[in-house]
Amino acid sequence: MSEVKRAKDQLKTHIRAQNQALILETAERVFARQGLAKTTTQMIANEANLPKANIHYYYRSKKDLLEAVLERILSMWLASVSQFKLEDGPQKNLTRYISEKIDQSRFNVSASKVFSMALIGEDEFVLSYLREHFVTELSREKNTIQTWIDQGLMAPISTEHLFISMWAMTQTYADFDAQVKVLLNKEMLEENDYEDAKQFITRMVLAGCGVKEVSI
């Protein structure tokens, strides 16, 4: 392969990646604002300042585009939350996990809303992804938590309900941010609001799990 052809191929790959990133980021924003059913590829094209044909060049249908957006969101979530480390114990791990989940809600509001909409609609792509990836993640964390329970570091609890509760408490700051703003009487949530949420939720979880020596 000549250097000229290699350079052209690299440029094409770079342009393709840039276009796909723009489309996915814009689609995520529009899906979150308009809802999954009401969003059209024309809306996404308009907001991205691209011809509609460009959208369909990369994604044949709205369904294909939505699945690409959801896969990007779910992959990001899996990569951004640290795995539990057995040697760190429950207090440090749960505190870190809740902090990371709150940060997700703070910095990825649109992503959280799109995921919630798809989950409420029982989108098969999301359900299959959860079964394949999240159940595996939960199984690993369950073994770690059981070790802590056996060591007397926390009370016997249901790992499944623990994670369901942590997801519900943290994701509400993205999925229902409008409600949070009303209750806090604010136009926009500020950094201290998220920090207060981290502190409060962490205290609730650690106390509910019977984790000793809470000092946060």
Side-chain angles (χ1 to χ4, degrees):
M1 181 185 295
S2 70
E3 290 299 323
V4 173
K5 188 176 188 308
R6 183 180 290 110
K8 286 182 177 179
D9 288 344
Q10 289 176 343
L11 179 60
K12 286 181 181 178
T13 300
H14 178 68
I15 292 172
R16 181 183 182 88
Q18 278 191 323
N19 286 342
Q20 286 183 299
L22 173 61
I23 291 169
L24 292 175
E25 289 168 6
T26 305
E28 179 185 295
R29 201 163 55 244
V30 178
F31 277 127
R33 186 175 67 242
Q34 301 293 336
L36 306 188
K38 292 183 179 180
T39 295
T40 65
T41 52
Q42 185 63 63
M43 290 178 184
I44 295 167
N46 290 345
E47 185 147 333
N49 291 316
L50 292 173
K52 183 179 176 181
N54 282 33
I55 306 292
H56 291 292
Y57 175 79
Y58 296 105
Y59 306 99
R60 292 177 300 173
S61 65
K62 187 176 88 168
K63 181 177 182 293
D64 289 341
L65 177 54
L66 175 59
E67 289 185 356
V69 169
L70 290 169
E71 183 170 22
R72 179 173 176 267
I73 291 169
L74 291 165
S75 297
M76 175 192 68
W77 283 2
L78 281 174
S80 63
V81 178
S82 304
Q83 296 178 7
F84 283 0
K85 296 179 180 178
L86 181 63
E87 63 275 15
D88 286 343
Q91 177 174 344
K92 187 172 181 179
N93 279 278
L94 291 170
T95 300
R96 182 177 62 238
Y97 185 85
I98 291 166
S99 177
E100 290 172 346
K101 288 291 292 178
I102 286 287
D103 285 342
Q104 283 183 349
S105 290
R106 179 183 178 186
F107 298 113
N108 301 293
V109 177
S110 294
S112 187
K113 288 182 177 181
V114 172
F115 170 73
S116 295
M117 291 176 192
L119 198 57
I120 290 170
E122 298 186 13
D123 181 277
E124 187 54 40
F125 178 85
V126 170
L127 296 178
S128 295
Y129 199 102
L130 290 175
R131 294 187 191 103
E132 181 179 353
H133 298 284
F134 278 68
V135 171
T136 302
E137 293 284 317
L138 186 62
S139 177
R140 183 181 57 250
E141 308 301 17
K142 186 170 185 176
N143 292 334
T144 301
I145 288 174
Q146 187 58 52
T147 299
W148 291 332
I149 293 171
D150 295 340
Q151 293 173 341
L153 297 177
M154 60 188 296
I157 52 98
S158 163
T159 302
E160 291 82 3
H161 285 294
L162 170 61
F163 276 84
I164 289 168
S165 297
M166 289 193 294
W167 293 340
M169 286 190 285
T170 55
Q171 288 171 207
T172 195
Y173 288 88
D175 302 343
F176 299 101
D177 59 331
Q179 176 177 264
V180 176
K181 291 172 190 173
V182 169
L183 292 176
L184 296 180
N185 193 29
K186 291 190 171 184
E187 291 293 325
M188 294 293 294
L189 296 180
E190 301 169 315
E191 182 177 358
N192 67 293
D193 298 316
Y194 293 102
E195 291 302 317
D196 288 346
K198 288 179 184 180
Q199 294 289 324
F200 182 78
I201 295 169
T202 301
R203 287 194 178 96
M204 286 187 66
V205 169
L206 293 179
C209 291
V211 177
K212 300 178 177 62
E213 299 182 8
V214 179
S215 57
I216 60 171

